[in-house]
Each structure stands twice: as structure tokens, then as C-alpha cells.
Amino acid sequence: MRVLFFGHLKTLAGCSVHELPADELSSDELWALLLTRFPAFAPLHAHTRLACNSEFAPPGARFTSADEIALIPPVSGG
């Protein structure tokens, strides 16, 4: 499972891509695993959207090893 980090998450992770050795995970299981590996994500968790294969994932989504998951933090601009 390929996980992409954007914005501040990329800075906190120290990388833009991370490979997770998982066959299938729910969104809650994915977050639990990511927060174990990247504890600095905790304050952004509630405000970060998940996308699967370039589409926003609904709450309770399930992901497989073939999926590309993106973590999209809130952004501001003007």
C-alpha cells in the first residue's frame, strides 16, 4: 500500500511517500498504523482527508495493498 503525504504532513514525515506492508486496512486501522509510525501526525488527524486512487475516501473506507492512499491536510490560500 503506497501512502502519499502532502503539505505539512510531508514535512513531519520527512518524506512524500511511504510504503505500508498491509493487505487490507480500514481507515481507522490505517490511521492507527500511521500514528504509530508518525506520532507527529496526531494533531492533524481529525482535519486530514484520505483519498484512495485519486478520489476522496468516505468514512469507514477499506483499502487494499494495490491502493494508493493520499493524506490531504487542510489548506488555506488566498
Side-chain angles (χ1 to χ4, degrees):
M1 184 176 304
R2 185 176 189 182
V3 182
L4 308 176
F5 305 126
F6 293 96
H8 192 55
L9 294 170
K10 180 176 159 181
T11 303
L12 292 173
C15 60
S16 60
V17 179
H18 183 73
E19 296 290 334
L20 286 177
D23 292 326
E24 186 175 327
L25 295 172
S26 69
S27 54
D28 289 340
E29 292 168 331
L30 173 66
W31 270 113
L33 188 56
L34 289 172
L35 291 173
T36 298
R37 294 181 186 210
F38 303 101
F41 287 5
L44 299 172
H45 172 219
H47 306 289
T48 299
R49 294 283 312 263
L50 296 176
C52 180
N53 302 322
S54 301
E55 294 187 18
F56 283 115
R62 295 201 65 82
F63 309 109
T64 70
S65 60
D67 289 330
E68 182 177 77
I69 310 303
L71 276 68
I72 305 170
V75 296
S76 64

